Amino acid sequence: MLELALFLALLVAPTGASDEARPRSGAPYVVVALDRDDPTATGFAPTIERVVEFHGARLLECASSELEDLAAPLRDLGPDNVLFVVPPAVLDAALHRRVLALARAVDADPFTDFAFGYLTARDGEALASLWERTVALHEHGLASKRWAGLFVTSGMPSTIFRNHIPGAALRAGFGGESVGLACVESDPEVLAFAARELRRLESASVLTVTGNGDPQGIWLFDGRRNLDRTKHWEYDPARVGSDPEGVMPRLLADDVRALHLASPIVWSGTCHSAIPARAFVENDIVSTFGRTERPTLHVLAADESLALAWLDAGAAALLAPIGANHGMAVDREVEFALSNGASLGEAVKSTYDDLVLAQGPDLYLDVPRDGVAPERREPIMAGGGANRILIGDPALAPFVPTRPAVPLTVTTTATFDGVERVEVLFERDGSFDPDAWDMYGKDRSRDWRIAARVRLPARGVDAGTRLDVTVDAASDAGEPLPYTLGPCAIEWWRGECVLHVTANAPRNAVEGVPTRARFVATFAR
């Protein structure tokens, strides 16, 4: 058995912060109207008023340049959800990084302290329509149990895959299919196939999308082209998306905008696919945007934006990256949302939680200033996790809890001497588990994990509490497995104490192995 003593000085509330560490449960919904005078926010005011009325929300107004001034009022309000209504010309990776830092500053633990999302659209009419779709989902729920997928593959023809949807969706009673688009190197007729088959997405209430891409579209060519410098050009705004020989086909914003979607929740792992206008050109999109020495600002026209196209086509929410990311984040957020019946804001928060837990409270993220990004210092995978955003209402919760992929058994015992003991039994059957890869962790030699988060009654747990955690793990045949304790922490969330525990092992020793593990956490003063 392996032991680690964790003191709350780093990952939990510091001394003297025990009361402040606990946001009030049922606190108000806050709407933040950013840059209301921006020309691209013309016509947003009526929708802002409707959102405030619908949620009985508190309204705060702020210039995006003064975003950090919101820290004090948000700390006083302790909201559960914050919706930032933001003009499309203002929402970019730099703003989001600052919002993410703000969301971690309300209480004393390093996790985000409220769920948040952004409400934006190409104009006031489109914003009003997006909010109408959101209200309909709040009041009537999803229109159907139909789930559709769209993904890019290679080495085979483009194909329709029946019941190829996330395992969590199948367990929740959804049915559907996925449109698999092959790279042009495998299927020269992929664009014609897409033109015939994309209509299959229109009746879905939930849509998951993965595949390489950029702010303008989803790539239907081999992403390894990024590695061939002979095929790149120096960034020039006039050459962005240039493909005179037709060797880099993409599903573009116009292709998506032509769809008539049934107000779905759209989960996308396509890099940069949540950008309304302000894109930072990075190395992962060098094939279509050109080569730069450091991330460089490029401004899209509204009709070019893949993010705005999903909203124009009828999406009610978009969970997607505002920069680079890894598509596995979609599977993890879907699993979290469906197994917990979580809101969309909580689903994206689960990604931020994983990131903070893995990287620690000293997490560093680059924040571009004045349209110029610094030479990248942030860990690549950490930046990808931080780039996940929600365009939509963070309080929207369209799913009922369903059986999770990995069941947990939790036993809590308070002993006579004031020590509280929590035992978490974890059981993985060896099948695919989106949480198994330690995507945001620091140790790549031990990047397979077991992880659990458990809500606890916070009896006597405060800044003076010491947390001790142990873990042991074995195969279902009883053979010990080489897991060692990873980052563990306590989070205060909506008036509750949440225990996060992890353990790591070398992937080649445990991947696919049915696993039973036991975490034992004790809280003592």
Side-chain angles (χ1 to χ4, degrees):
M1 183 172 291
L2 303 159
E3 299 190 2
L4 177 66
L6 298 176
F7 292 88
L8 306 193
L10 288 179
L11 288 179
V12 194
T15 301
S18 58
D19 292 335
E20 292 82 356
R22 306 182 188 187
R24 293 182 295 275
S25 180
Y29 188 111
V30 172
V31 175
V32 177
L34 291 175
D35 292 357
R36 294 187 69 161
D37 295 333
D38 187 274
T40 58
T42 301
F44 278 21
T47 298
I48 293 172
E49 293 174 4
R50 293 187 190 105
V51 176
V52 169
E53 180 181 4
F54 182 83
H55 281 298
R58 288 288 301 272
L59 175 63
L60 302 176
E61 297 188 26
C62 182
S64 59
S65 60
E66 300 172 352
L67 181 71
E68 287 71 20
D69 291 347
L70 293 172
L74 288 174
R75 193 174 296 117
D76 290 340
L77 291 168
D80 287 348
N81 297 283
V82 180
L83 181 64
F84 293 86
V85 184
V86 55
V90 174
L91 178 56
D92 65 10
L95 176 73
H96 170 62
R97 298 297 177 84
R98 293 167 61 209
V99 169
L100 187 56
L102 183 70
R104 296 175 60 202
V106 171
D107 68 26
D109 71 46
F111 298 94
T112 51
D113 304 315
F114 51 76
F116 67 90
Y118 302 97
L119 199 68
T120 194
R122 67 166 56 237
D123 54 32
E125 182 179 356
L127 193 76
S129 180
L130 172 58
W131 183 246
E132 288 174 5
R133 297 194 295 273
T134 303
V135 170
L137 284 180
H138 274 294
E139 295 181 342
H140 306 295
L142 297 174
S144 73
K145 298 286 282 188
R146 177 170 168 75
W147 194 296
L150 174 65
F151 68 93
V152 181
T153 185
S154 61
M156 58 182 295
S158 300
T159 308
I160 303 300
F161 292 82
R162 311 295 179 186
N163 283 321
H164 185 279
I165 61 177
L170 291 170
R171 295 194 305 274
F174 285 88
E177 61 193 3
S178 286
V179 178
L181 300 177
C183 292
V184 67
E185 293 85 357
S186 301
D187 183 358
E189 302 301 318
V190 60
L191 284 175
F193 181 88
R196 292 194 308 271
E197 303 296 347
L198 285 184
R199 296 289 180 188
R200 293 174 180 271
L201 309 180
E202 292 185 328
S203 60
S205 287
V206 188
L207 176 59
T208 44
V209 182
T210 55
N212 294 327
D214 57 48
Q216 295 176 326
I218 301 169
W219 293 1
L220 302 179
F221 61 92
D222 193 331
R224 286 175 294 185
R225 187 182 179 92
N226 265 0
L227 304 178
D228 187 348
R229 293 182 63 86
T230 66
K231 294 182 169 65
H232 305 161
W233 62 83
E234 294 297 326
Y235 166 72
D236 175 351
R239 290 195 66 183
V240 166
S242 175
D243 184 26
E245 297 178 3
V247 294
M248 295 188 293
R250 296 177 292 170
L251 281 184
L252 293 170
D254 283 345
D255 300 310
V256 169
R257 189 177 297 109
L259 300 174
H260 300 282
L261 301 177
S263 298
I265 310 301
V266 177
W267 251 292
S268 176
T270 297
C271 293
H272 307 271
S273 61
I275 294 175
R278 292 168 55 87
F280 287 92
V281 183
E282 302 179 71
N283 287 338
D284 66 308
I285 54 174
V286 63
S287 291
T288 51
F289 272 59
R291 182 171 57 244
T292 61
E293 294 301 318
R294 65 172 61 192
T296 301
L297 180 66
H298 176 84
V299 180
L300 301 169
D303 284 347
E304 294 180 282
S305 166
L306 185 60
L308 294 182
W310 284 117
L311 301 178
D312 291 343
L318 174 64
L319 298 91
I322 200 161
N325 83 153
H326 194 288
M328 183 71 78
V330 171
D331 296 298
R332 292 165 72 148
E333 289 170 5
V334 166
E335 176 68 34
F336 183 87
L338 271 66
S339 62
N340 292 282
S343 69
L344 299 184
E346 290 174 306
V348 178
K349 180 187 183 302
S350 71
T351 293
Y352 307 148
D353 289 347
D354 281 347
L355 171 61
V356 170
L357 185 64
Q359 290 287 319
D362 58 347
L363 167 67
Y364 172 81
L365 296 171
D366 295 325
V367 179
R369 298 289 183 182
D370 299 322
V372 177
E375 293 183 7
R376 187 166 296 281
R377 293 195 293 137
E378 69 185 22
I380 291 175
M381 295 306 297
N387 284 336
R388 298 288 302 169
I389 73 168
L390 164 65
I391 298 178
D393 185 356
L396 184 60
F399 308 110
V400 297
T402 192
R403 178 175 57 85
V406 177
L408 298 176
T409 302
V410 181
T411 303
T412 302
T413 305
T415 64
F416 70 93
D417 58 358
V419 176
E420 187 164 5
R421 183 177 187 274
V422 178
E423 184 174 289
V424 181
L425 300 179
F426 172 103
E427 189 169 347
R428 176 187 290 148
D429 65 7
S431 60
F432 173 73
D433 174 8
D435 275 339
W437 176 33
D438 189 7
M439 193 184 325
Y440 307 118
K442 296 179 179 180
D443 186 354
R444 306 326 302 166
S445 68
R446 304 181 67 83
D447 69 347
W448 221 241
R449 71 171 192 168
I450 49 179
R453 67 186 81 199
V454 182
R455 292 191 179 187
L456 303 173
R459 294 192 295 266
V461 179
D462 60 21
T465 302
R466 170 173 167 150
L467 169 65
D468 291 293
V469 183
T470 66
V471 65
D472 55 58
S475 70
D476 60 352
E479 295 294 325
L481 296 175
Y483 281 97
T484 57
L485 202 64
C488 301
I490 289 175
E491 173 191 12
W492 300 109
W493 174 244
R494 297 183 177 175
E496 293 183 305
C497 172
V498 180
L499 173 65
H500 298 260
V501 291
T502 64
N504 290 75
R507 180 188 300 216
N508 60 4
V510 297
E511 184 176 7
V513 176
T515 300
R516 295 175 181 174
R518 182 181 64 152
F519 293 95
V520 177
T522 55
F523 303 83
R525 294 187 62 82

